Amino acid sequence: QLQLTESGGGMVQAGGSLRLSCTASGRTFSRYVTGWFRQAPGKEREFVVAVSTSADVPDYADSVKGRFTISRDNAKNTVFLQMNRLKSEDTAVYYCAAASRGNIRQSTSYDYWGQGTQVTVSS
């Protein structure tokens, strides 16, 4: 089993930045595709970004491209999501997830999920 724990969420004003962390335990994180998803109140969970096991060019949702950056530190079993120029529409619970195969933009491809961390952007 792989356990994922997110941290780093909080409240920030529009235009500000936050960095989320997702630390894995139980298995080697680098063997999995790692993704970030988010879910706003009353909305479905949506894809934000994912990076493959080989850390090729990440796949970003258009809504965050140029503002968010994913990175991974395999030695620390941790993936980071740097979020800059935050907007009110970025407000959501952010989840990290790990997948071993499948379409990395689809939440159903992911086998393991963290508990989520709240990000609130005030305008």
Side-chain angles (χ1 to χ4, degrees), residues 1-86:
Q1 285 283 9
L2 185 69
Q3 291 83 40
L4 304 177
T5 304
E6 302 100 335
S7 61
M11 182 177 293
V12 65
Q13 289 189 332
S17 300
L18 283 174
R19 189 173 84 153
L20 306 183
S21 300
C22 175
T23 300
S25 61
R27 289 185 177 179
T28 304
F29 206 10
S30 61
R31 295 180 179 177
Y32 296 86
V33 170
T34 306
W36 287 93
F37 289 78
R38 66 187 181 186
Q39 189 166 18
K43 295 187 177 181
E44 294 186 353
R45 191 168 297 188
E46 67 170 350
F47 169 78
V48 175
V49 60
V51 63
S52 70
T53 55
S54 59
D56 289 336
V57 176
D59 184 13
Y60 292 94
D62 288 343
S63 58
V64 306
K65 197 173 295 183
R67 300 187 298 120
F68 289 13
T69 303
I70 190 171
S71 60
R72 61 192 309 166
D73 184 338
N74 290 333
K76 296 183 178 180
N77 250 12
T78 300
V79 171
F80 303 97
L81 182 65
Q82 178 67 43
M83 306 185 295
N84 298 328
R85 304 201 316 271
L86 283 161

Side-chain angles (χ1 to χ4, degrees), residues 84-96:
N84 298 328
R85 304 201 316 271
L86 283 161
K87 305 175 182 180
S88 57
E89 51 262 44
D90 295 319
T91 295
V93 177
Y94 283 72
Y95 299 88
C96 72

Side-chain angles (χ1 to χ4, degrees), residues 110-122:
Y110 290 79
D111 305 303
Y112 304 100
W113 292 84
Q115 81 287 354
T117 185
Q118 177 71 46
V119 171
T120 302
V121 183
S122 60

